[in-house]
């Protein structure tokens, strides 16, 4: 028979070992505090970009037939089209709380709803690398592309246009895009949101009629195909740009809160370790005194 030895992890009782843990936790607290301050500074810049750009990013949203909904919505509205592509905006960096987990949770819920409605699984596209690992485990067979490193520079319309091109290429056979992102509400809150965007160009090529609500407008040039294609590319880029700056602001607010909580937790752990250190130190002193007194009494006797 083979004897297996298992190592049991125990807390240090030696004052020197406890002090090493205190110093290590203090170093972690300095890092989390610094990250909190950096995120707070970046959040101001993201809030300014959101304030200046959100009107442009949401200007075409009233033309969309489906209204947006959030993770807190009790019952998700049925999509106007069952031939969908699901696109999720996540982040490239971690340490930002549960913002990517909520986006992944909403993506799975939307994908399940579309699969029940159409009987076929919808393809999934990911912006940012952090949702890739979570979705690969459950929806790896449906992933068509993962586009990362979108956030190296502050989001602008040029980058959003490139992202929109990749999105439309992946959605070439889809009639609608379900875009999942996190919408900034305040420094302590964000809503995981779904915005459904029609693929107007695909709808036109299938029916040869200008899709609603664009049929209410006069189009120039006379070729509906060129006009709708141009509008479809611009509208998708504009809405995606608004979602990206919204998600970037929510990311920084979530990271700031996560680092603030981590700093507080580290402070509480340091207090507990110092209390444990003082008890261990006092116990060691008491033991040494008892040994000295016992040795002195034995000499006298």
């Amino acid at each position: 028979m083979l004897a297996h030895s298992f190592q049991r992890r125990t807390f240090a009782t030696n004052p020197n070992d406890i002090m090493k843990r205190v110093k290590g936790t203090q170093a972690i607290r300095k890092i989390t505090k610094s990250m909190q301050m950096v995120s707070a500074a970046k959040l101001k810049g993201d809030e300014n970009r959101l304030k200046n750009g959100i009107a442009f990013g949401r200007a075409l949203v009233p033309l969309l037939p489906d209204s947006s909904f959030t993770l807190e919505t009790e019952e998700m509205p049925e999509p106007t089209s069952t031939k969908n592509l699901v696109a999720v905006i996540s982040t490239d960096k971690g340490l930002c709380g549960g913002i990517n987990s909520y986006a992944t949770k909403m993506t799975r819920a939307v994908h399940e709803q579309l699969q029940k409605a159409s009987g076929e699984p919808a393809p999934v596209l990911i912006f940012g690398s952090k949702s890739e690992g979570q979705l690969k485990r459950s929806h790896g067979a449906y992933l068509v592309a993962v586009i990362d490193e979108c956030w190296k520079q502050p989001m602008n319309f040029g980058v959003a246009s490139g992202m929109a091109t990749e999105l439309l290429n992946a959605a070439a056979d889809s009639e609608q895009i379900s875009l999942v992102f996190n919408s900034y509400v305040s420094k302590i809150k964000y809503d995981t949101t779904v915005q459904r965007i029609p693929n107007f160009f695909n709808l036109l090529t299938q029916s040869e009629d200008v899709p609603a609500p664009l049929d209410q407008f006069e189009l120039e040039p006379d070729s509906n195909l060129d006009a709708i294609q141009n509008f479809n590319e611009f509208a998708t880029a504009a809405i995606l740009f608004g979602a990206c700056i919204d998600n970037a602001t929510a990311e920084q607010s979530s990271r700031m809160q996560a680092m603030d909580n981590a700093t507080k937790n580290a402070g509480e752990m340091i207090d507990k370790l110092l209390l444990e250190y003082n008890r261990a130190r006092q116990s060691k002193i008491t033991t040494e005194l008892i040994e000295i007194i016992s040795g002195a009494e034995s000499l006298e006797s």
Side-chain angles (χ1 to χ4, degrees):
M1 296 180 63
L2 296 176
H4 296 277
S5 61
F6 296 94
Q7 292 183 352
R8 181 177 297 177
R9 183 177 180 181
T10 57
F11 291 103
T13 56
N14 188 299
N16 293 331
D17 294 337
I18 296 174
M19 185 53 62
K20 288 179 182 179
R21 293 180 60 196
V22 170
K23 292 180 179 179
T25 308
Q26 287 175 338
I28 292 174
R29 184 172 63 175
K30 288 181 181 180
I31 294 172
T32 56
K33 184 65 176 178
S34 299
M35 291 185 67
Q36 178 196 355
M37 296 173 65
V38 170
S39 296
K42 288 184 176 180
L43 179 60
K44 292 182 180 179
D46 287 327
E47 284 179 328
N48 290 333
R49 279 185 287 274
L50 180 64
K51 180 180 178 181
N52 295 330
I54 197 61
F56 172 76
R58 293 179 179 171
L60 298 174
V61 171
L63 291 176
L64 305 182
D66 293 271
S67 58
S68 62
F69 58 93
T70 67
L71 191 63
E72 297 176 356
T73 304
E74 293 184 1
E75 186 175 353
M76 291 188 295
E78 292 295 329
T80 54
S81 174
T82 56
K83 202 171 183 181
N84 268 253
L85 176 138
V86 183
V88 55
I89 300 177
S90 65
T91 69
D92 285 329
K93 296 180 181 179
L95 300 177
C96 51
I99 192 168
N100 292 311
S101 298
Y102 284 121
T104 302
K105 181 180 179 181
M106 178 62 100
T107 302
R108 288 171 177 156
V110 171
H111 192 272
E112 182 180 357
Q113 181 200 36
L114 294 171
Q115 188 168 2
K116 288 181 179 179
S118 64
E120 297 180 0
V124 178
L125 182 143
I126 302 175
F127 292 110
S129 60
K130 286 303 175 181
S131 286
E132 179 184 2
Q134 299 176 22
L135 286 173
K136 262 189 174 180
R137 290 192 293 269
S138 57
H139 293 69
Y142 314 127
L143 291 181
V144 293
V146 178
I147 303 170
D148 55 3
E149 298 186 359
C150 303
W151 321 102
K152 281 190 173 181
Q153 300 295 330
M155 182 55 60
N156 55 67
F157 187 68
V159 175
S161 297
M163 295 167 63
T165 301
E166 297 292 337
L167 178 59
L168 290 173
N169 289 339
D173 298 327
S174 302
E175 298 175 355
Q176 195 175 58
I177 299 168
S178 295
L179 182 64
V180 182
F181 64 98
N182 291 287
S183 180
Y184 176 74
V185 179
S186 67
K187 288 182 173 63
I188 59 174
K189 184 182 179 183
Y190 56 87
D191 289 331
T192 306
T193 307
V194 177
Q195 180 65 67
R196 288 179 170 139
I197 310 169
N199 190 344
F200 293 108
F201 182 70
N202 197 0
L203 293 172
L204 176 65
T205 55
Q206 290 180 5
S207 65
E208 296 183 357
D209 294 328
V210 177
L214 302 184
D215 54 354
Q216 304 174 15
F217 302 92
E218 294 182 2
L219 302 178
E220 292 184 1
D222 295 335
S223 172
N224 290 340
L225 199 64
D226 291 339
I228 295 300
Q229 183 177 9
N230 293 336
F231 176 81
N232 190 54
E233 293 173 355
F234 175 77
T236 304
I239 295 170
L240 185 59
F241 169 71
C244 284
I245 58 176
D246 214 356
N247 192 86
T249 310
E251 176 193 351
Q252 289 300 340
S253 67
S254 180
R255 180 173 288 110
M256 185 181 70
Q257 286 299 315
M259 292 300 101
D260 182 49
N261 293 335
T263 302
K264 291 178 180 177
N265 292 338
E268 293 176 0
M269 183 175 289
I270 289 171
D271 292 339
K272 291 180 180 179
L273 287 172
L274 287 176
L275 181 61
E276 186 179 347
Y277 168 78
N278 291 331
R279 287 176 178 172
R281 182 170 172 269
Q282 187 64 43
S283 175
K284 186 177 181 181
I285 293 172
T286 303
T287 302
E288 290 177 353
L289 287 175
I290 292 173
E291 291 176 352
I292 293 172
I293 294 172
S294 299
E297 289 180 353
S298 64
L299 290 176
E300 290 177 359
S301 61

